Amino acid sequence: ISPQLDCAGRVLVLDRPRVMGIVNVTPDSFSDGGEHASLEAAVAHALRLAEEGADILDIGGESTRPGAAEVSIDEELARVIPVIERLAKETALPISIDTSKPEVMRAAVAAGAGMINDVYGLRRDGALDAAAALGVPVVLMHMQGEPRSMQQAPEYDDVVAEVHRFLAERIFSAEMAGIAKKKIVVDPGFGFGKTTAHNLALLAGLERFVDLGVPVLAGLSRKRSIGELTGREDAQARVHGSVAAHLIAAQRGATILRVHDVAATVDAIKVWDAVAKVPAPRPKA
Ligand SMILES: Nc1nc2[nH]c(SCC(=O)O)nc2c(=O)[nH]1
């Protein structure tokens, strides 16, 4: 049987790689250039992603792009809560809240979110206890340093080993705080305190994280490393590189793919899934 994530009653079945559509409700989010700052635009965008085949919608009110300024609790709430309330009514999809703040986690779940996606791995004060009390599945992501400074000089002895160790520790801490292991997802955090070489090592070595015994989420969509590898400066031109990267992530064990370009990724996974369904060849007699 496949792992399932019960997102406040909306179940995400991980019988194949599932597509998480990104809904930035931030004026400075790098790939949307702020056009989703308004509630209507964000809701319309999210509903379009649902049309394109997203399995879950990730709502974020604080841009965590390198160098981004921090956002106050009130500002983050003002951005995301109205969007979550509308989407909880207008779509049947599970909704995740992309936040590190306990207050935003609580308000978002009260508004209809069914998963917490924390780029800071529930390390902010009160985050672990808030997530445990809310009882929804959580995504624990690795980040080296803080969004403001993480890309200045990222350094590792062995990035795969160090990220693996960090995620193992976050799983342990989450379980100690009362979060059931079956509600935990891990994520190596592509681009969060990593050079392109580090991101490539993490993608190549993604299978390492499967041994942590929880689903793996991969999010490379339109990121700087994809731009560097493909020479595509404009984030909107990084679709093909992003789809390629997420197909490799799926091949190497990721079962949630966090993307901007849902339709393209859904098509790629349809091809992936058809091949995965081909019966294994009978052993030679
Ligand atoms: N779990 C998870 N959440 C995320 N939120 C962002 S925001 C930056 C961007 O989309 O470029 N990235 C990620 C990611 O990689 N994993």
Side-chain angles (χ1 to χ4, degrees):
I1 52 162
S2 311
Q4 306 198 350
L5 295 169
D6 181 347
C7 304
R10 301 183 179 189
V11 179
L12 189 64
V13 181
L14 301 180
D15 52 344
R16 62 169 166 74
R18 294 289 176 173
V19 178
M20 173 185 267
I22 299 170
V23 183
N24 284 319
V25 193
T26 52
D28 75 340
S29 58
F30 78 96
S31 67
D32 295 331
E35 72 234 23
H36 296 308
S38 77
L39 168 60
E40 291 310 321
V43 170
H45 182 71
L47 293 176
R48 205 188 91 223
L49 297 185
E51 271 303 299
E52 292 185 11
D55 297 298
I56 181 168
L57 297 169
D58 189 42
I59 316 301
E62 176 179 32
S63 168
T64 48
R65 56 191 271 226
E70 311 236 323
V71 168
S72 74
I73 292 174
D74 290 345
E75 174 59 28
E76 194 172 336
L77 289 170
R79 291 176 185 176
V80 300
I81 300 307
V83 174
I84 293 171
E85 284 170 345
R86 283 278 298 279
L87 291 177
K89 284 195 205 74
E90 299 178 30
T91 165
L93 289 181
I95 296 164
S96 62
I97 174 69
D98 185 338
T99 189
S100 301
K101 300 184 179 75
E103 301 85 350
V104 178
M105 293 172 191
R106 278 189 284 273
V109 172
M115 178 187 280
I116 291 166
N117 173 27
D118 184 2
V119 297
Y120 211 63
L122 296 177
R123 287 180 290 153
R124 297 291 183 212
D125 287 350
L128 266 180
D129 292 339
L134 290 167
V136 298
V138 298
V139 179
L140 305 177
M141 195 193 83
H142 172 270
M143 179 190 308
Q144 185 183 72
E146 302 282 337
R148 213 176 4 77
S149 56
M150 65 189 175
Q151 287 307 114
Q152 276 155 16
E155 203 168 307
Y156 301 81
D157 288 337
D158 173 345
V159 63
V160 174
E162 290 172 52
V163 171
H164 186 278
R165 186 178 319 114
F166 172 92
L167 293 174
E169 185 280 324
R170 294 317 297 154
I171 291 170
F172 178 77
S173 296
E175 290 190 272
M176 288 302 109
I179 299 173
K181 187 162 187 178
K182 67 178 189 319
K183 293 185 179 178
I184 297 174
V185 175
V186 291
D187 178 344
F190 291 102
F192 287 87
K194 285 97 178 178
T195 62
T196 293
H198 294 139
N199 290 325
L200 286 171
L202 287 167
L203 181 54
L206 201 67
E207 280 161 309
R208 276 293 313 281
F209 300 105
V210 175
D211 78 11
L212 289 165
V214 298
V216 175
L217 186 153
L220 292 114
S221 186
R222 299 186 183 178
K223 287 188 174 175
R224 184 191 313 272
S225 290
I226 300 294
E228 273 179 36
L229 294 170
T230 58
R232 302 287 186 179
E233 271 305 299
D234 172 15
Q236 319 259 356
R238 298 175 184 168
V239 183
H240 307 296
S242 300
V243 168
H246 287 121
L247 207 49
I248 291 165
Q251 198 62 18
R252 298 184 190 210
T255 50
I256 302 176
L257 307 172
R258 183 178 175 279
V259 307
H260 299 87
D261 306 292
V262 169
T265 310
V266 165
D267 280 3
I269 294 302
K270 281 177 179 166
V271 174
W272 180 92
D273 203 36
V275 174
K277 286 190 163 67
V278 171
R282 275 194 313 284
K284 285 192 179 39

